[in-house]
Amino acid sequence: MTATPEQPYSPSGPRVRRTRGLLPRGPASRGPASRGPVSWGPASRRRAAGPLRETFALTVLPLVAALALPAAFAGGGTRRWFGGRAENQRAEAQAAKDEAAAAFYELDTAQRDLRISIETITAVDSSPAARRAVDDFEALGRRIDEASHTYIAAVDAHDLDRDDLEASAASRARTELTAAKGELDRVKRELDRFTDGLGPLLGKAETQLARLAPAVERARQALLAASDALDTARASGLRADDLAARLAALSPELTKLNQGAGQHGVPQTLERAEQVIRRAEAIRAEADRLPELAAETGRRLVSLRTRAQALTTRCEQVEPVLSELRRRFTAACWQDLQGVPDLAAENVRQAESKLAEASTARDEQRWADTTALLSTVRALLNTTDEAVSAAGDRLSRLNAVQKDPEQEIERTRFAIRDAQRLAMAGRHTPDPRHAHPLDGAVARLERAVAGLEGRHPDYWHFLTETEAVRRSVAQVVSLIREDRGGSAG
């Protein structure tokens, strides 16, 4: 709401009244050459008055013209220049009116600036703090409207340019205009405090707005780079249909980015730009490495096919190993290996089938499917390799312990003695937390050694027991070192 104050009234010049009866009445002075009485008849009066008129005209008429000249330049107004108390009150009221107009314009300008700040915040931030700021701004706007209406009503109620303005009316005008200015100043102070409190919200909003244009431009550039990389891959003979489909799926997102934050919001546009950048960069990276992926896939296919063939040959050797285990050792030593031949043959068969599927997927340039199938083949071959190797390793270890069990026994006793020395280092008595597990390891080893006596000892049980003893001893050693390391720290 804007009110334009009227221009100060320029008072007109005073009027000059006509002068009547300027000539004196009575006897005139006689000159030094006069003789006899002088006649005061009509003719003589006219003769005597002639020189006086001329003298009076030369003396008085310039003064009259000087007094009448300001009135002529003032346009013939009737207001007096020095009108006394009424004119003083008029001047004071006009000064109050000018000051109130200045306060009104200052408040209006500040409100316009604050509205821009509020619009900036609401475009970016939808948090409760931002919503409270909008509500407070609306309440403050109502206060500004009330103060503005009071000011405009005071201006409209008093015509300070009236010629017949009374001193009491001018005084009332000055009082009301001064009160209106005071209210405008109070609201302006409230507005300034509110503006200062918006600093954090406005700073955050301006930061996000500053990020908006660069983020959108980076998204466009990322899409362009992805498209160029895809064209290069296709030029090398690769279809890259899946990458092309993923890139086409980003087209609606680019359309929304081009529509701008005014339609979709600043936070949403920033988030959309970041998502487009990530997805476009992933497409570009995959397109760049697509030729290398095709070559690597071919190498993996050849390598895994060769490995499957080698495992087929090794699987044929599992049955003779199992036969020897059955012949020379108790059932407990080989019973868990009985299913190895069938398992190995089935795994190899599945691996070869998956290899054929992977080869087809590669020819069709379905790279994701190819990679998944090759990973399955690798897992099947690893499982088969471990199973086939287990049978041969079992026979080797059983042969060694059957020939010389003392080597396994001494190996385990050495580990126990080393742990006991570490437990006693710097102590007169071992810590029960260390001594009890070590004593249990000694008893367990003795029982394993006693199990070797008899006609058909279970060598596999002996080997698993000694391994278990060494693991328990290693745990005690680790505990001792942790305790001492903590004490040293």
Side-chain angles (χ1 to χ4, degrees):
M1 179 180 301
T2 305
T4 304
E6 300 175 359
Q7 295 296 324
Y9 178 78
S10 300
S12 61
R15 293 183 179 181
V16 180
R17 298 179 181 178
R18 292 184 179 181
T19 305
R20 296 179 181 179
L22 295 176
L23 297 179
R25 295 184 181 273
S29 299
R30 296 181 181 181
S34 299
R35 294 181 182 182
V38 178
S39 173
W40 289 98
S44 62
R45 285 200 299 271
R46 284 193 298 270
R47 288 192 299 269
L52 291 176
R53 284 196 186 99
E54 295 174 358
T55 302
F56 182 80
L58 294 175
T59 304
V60 176
L61 287 179
L63 177 60
V64 174
L67 293 175
L69 188 60
F73 280 106
T78 59
R79 184 184 302 166
R80 292 175 299 168
W81 280 104
F82 306 102
R85 184 170 179 272
E87 290 302 323
N88 291 337
Q89 291 291 341
R90 183 197 302 272
E92 292 176 359
Q94 185 62 52
K97 181 178 180 180
D98 294 341
E99 293 176 358
F104 176 79
Y105 286 135
E106 184 178 0
L107 177 61
D108 183 69
T109 301
Q111 184 185 17
R112 293 175 187 273
D113 294 341
L114 181 58
R115 180 175 288 107
I116 294 174
S117 300
I118 290 294
E119 291 174 352
T120 301
I121 293 172
T122 54
V124 174
D125 195 350
S126 59
S127 65
R131 291 194 293 271
R132 283 195 302 271
V134 173
D135 294 339
D136 293 344
F137 175 71
E138 292 177 354
L140 187 58
R142 290 190 290 271
R143 291 274 293 111
I144 293 174
D145 289 343
E146 292 173 0
S148 299
H149 282 304
T150 301
Y151 159 72
I152 294 172
V155 171
D156 293 341
H158 302 285
D159 183 6
L160 300 182
D161 292 332
R162 289 171 47 197
D163 293 338
D164 57 347
L165 181 69
E166 297 180 357
S168 59
S171 178
R172 285 194 303 273
R174 178 181 61 81
T175 301
E176 294 180 10
L177 290 169
T178 300
K181 176 185 179 298
E183 184 63 18
L184 291 171
D185 289 340
R186 281 190 293 273
V187 177
K188 175 62 168 54
R189 288 192 293 270
E190 292 181 21
L191 186 143
D192 291 340
R193 288 193 295 269
F194 179 73
T195 302
D196 293 339
L198 288 180
L201 288 174
L202 184 60
K204 177 183 176 182
E206 290 176 344
T207 300
Q208 288 195 341
L209 285 175
R211 290 172 48 204
L212 183 62
V216 173
E217 182 60 25
R218 286 198 308 272
R220 294 194 184 104
Q221 294 300 322
L223 287 171
L224 179 60
S227 179
D228 292 342
L230 191 59
D231 291 341
T232 301
R234 285 173 167 173
S236 65
L238 300 170
R239 292 196 304 270
D241 294 337
D242 56 337
L243 295 181
R246 288 164 57 188
L247 184 61
L250 292 178
S251 179
E253 300 300 319
L254 178 61
T255 300
K256 292 178 181 178
L257 288 177
N258 291 333
Q259 289 172 347
Q263 183 171 347
H264 300 285
V266 174
Q268 294 81 1
T269 302
L270 283 173
E271 183 179 358
R272 180 173 291 110
E274 294 298 329
Q275 291 178 354
V276 169
I277 290 171
R278 287 195 300 270
R279 294 166 64 182
E281 288 180 347
I283 295 172
R284 179 195 58 77
E286 292 183 30
D288 285 342
R289 64 182 296 266
L290 199 54
E292 179 184 352
L293 176 62
E296 181 184 353
T297 301
R299 291 192 298 267
R300 290 182 65 188
L301 272 169
V302 173
S303 175
L304 291 174
R305 187 175 290 115
T306 302
R307 186 179 175 190
Q309 293 172 355
L311 274 176
T312 301
T313 303
R314 290 182 60 195
C315 287
E316 297 174 355
Q317 301 172 358
V318 174
E319 193 58 46
V321 171
L322 288 177
S323 178
E324 185 174 355
L325 287 172
R326 295 189 198 99
R327 180 172 54 84
R328 294 175 50 197
F329 300 99
T330 62
C333 296
W334 48 263
Q335 196 166 14
D336 58 320
L337 300 176
Q338 283 292 95
V340 170
D342 295 337
L343 176 64
E346 178 61 23
N347 285 350
V348 170
R349 187 191 63 78
Q350 290 185 15
E352 290 176 347
S353 175
K354 297 297 182 183
L355 281 172
E357 294 179 19
S359 180
T360 302
R362 179 187 179 279
D363 294 340
E364 296 175 355
Q365 298 188 18
R366 292 185 286 111
W367 306 112
D369 294 341
T370 305
T371 302
L373 288 167
L374 292 179
S375 298
T376 302
V377 171
R378 181 181 295 276
L380 288 170
L381 295 181
N382 286 342
T383 302
T384 306
D385 192 18
E386 292 174 0
V388 172
S389 298
D393 292 343
R394 179 79 57 87
L395 180 59
S396 299
R397 295 181 64 187
L398 290 175
N399 285 335
V401 74
Q402 184 185 43
K403 181 179 180 180
D404 184 14
E406 285 298 325
Q407 185 176 359
E408 185 73 13
I409 296 171
E410 286 302 319
R411 179 185 175 191
T412 307
R413 283 176 177 169
F414 176 80
I416 296 173
R417 285 195 299 268
D418 189 59
Q420 289 172 339
R421 283 194 296 269
L422 182 63
M424 291 300 297
R427 302 177 63 95
H428 296 291
T429 57
D431 190 326
R433 294 180 301 130
H434 307 152
H436 292 165
L438 292 178
D439 291 342
V442 172
R444 192 172 181 181
L445 176 60
E446 291 176 353
R447 288 193 299 270
V449 172
L452 294 178
E453 299 176 358
R455 186 173 180 181
H456 298 290
D458 187 351
Y459 290 108
W460 183 242
H461 175 74
F462 170 75
L463 288 174
T464 55
E465 278 294 290
T466 54
E467 286 181 357
V469 169
R470 288 194 295 270
R471 284 196 301 270
S472 65
V473 169
Q475 292 174 357
V476 173
V477 170
S478 177
L479 178 61
I480 294 172
R481 289 175 177 169
E482 288 178 1
D483 290 346
R484 294 183 179 177
S487 300

